[in-house]
Amino acid sequence: MLTRSGLVVIDKPAGMTSHDVVSKLRRVMRTKRVGHAGTLDPMATGVLVVGVERGTKFLAHVVTHDKRYEATVRLGAATVTDDMEGDVLNSTAPVAVTEEGIRRELARLTGEIMQRPSSVSSIKINGRRAHELVREGHDVVLPERPVTIFSLHVGAIRPLDAAGHVVSFGDAAVDHIDVDIAVHCSSGTYIRSIARDLGEALKVGGHLTALRRTSVGPFTIAQATTLERLANAAESGQQPEELLALDLDVAMTTCFPTREISTQEGEELALGKWLEPVGNSGIRAAVTPEGRAIALVKEKGKRAASVFVARPQGLD
């Protein structure tokens, strides 16, 4: 149903997979047509954008947005998964690591770089997910690919002893170093890879101990709600359409610039017809005078054709 179509922005808790979130939302929203954009690892928390009904098809057009994360990198050990959930491959007390060295190597990981995805990513190799192969004992090394780190801010840097007490840089008791970072990056960037690459550059190993996604494109943690709140709201009698963070009209005009169209043009788009071009670049949300977002359109040559139809004929 179109009235139930739109997006929900979830603050995913640690310990759940993105699929777990989708499964719970299917019950809350009373539909099987629920899907997510941008997988979060079980250990990660934060923004997970979920589509409901026709919002699931709309998600395919917004997954290339930039993202922001807050994370903690632990220097002193490398793990199979590049995070704290994997077995330790090797460990080296970072007694010779300096704050200057940490900042220098992180600066080198900023900008347009080539990054090797984590071996436990969801990237497919011959039809199999890389993380599945790793967990079966296979040695997986994925090829590098271009990503953009728009900014990488370094927060607190804490040399710690084995008991977790803060010590000074260079102290013989340093067992590991925790580095808080805030990252603004392109879609497809692996924050675990930043931790791994920093540890390799400093020759002590590195992995993530915390990861929180704070935004995906225009969707921020401030808009997010919890699964518990949604479930409680549904139990109290709220209808699925009332639980959406953004209905499809708002979602489309939030993510894309608009093109104003007539009611007649809207009816034609709903039938799969194309419009005359008006000189717009990129994808536009075609909106009628009634405020109904009919479709996403893109001009090419003598046509402005739809790339996604929110309101096909007979569905409104």
Side-chain angles (χ1 to χ4, degrees), residues 75-77 91-97 171-177 202-204:
L75 298 173
S91 58
T92 303
V95 292
V97 173
D171 192 308
V174 172
D175 184 74
H176 57 271
I177 298 173
L202 295 169
K203 296 181 172 54
V204 295

Side-chain angles (χ1 to χ4, degrees), residues 102-113:
I102 292 171
R103 293 183 181 276
R104 180 184 64 249
E105 296 303 332
L106 285 174
R108 290 175 177 169
L109 296 175
T110 305
E112 296 181 1
I113 64 171

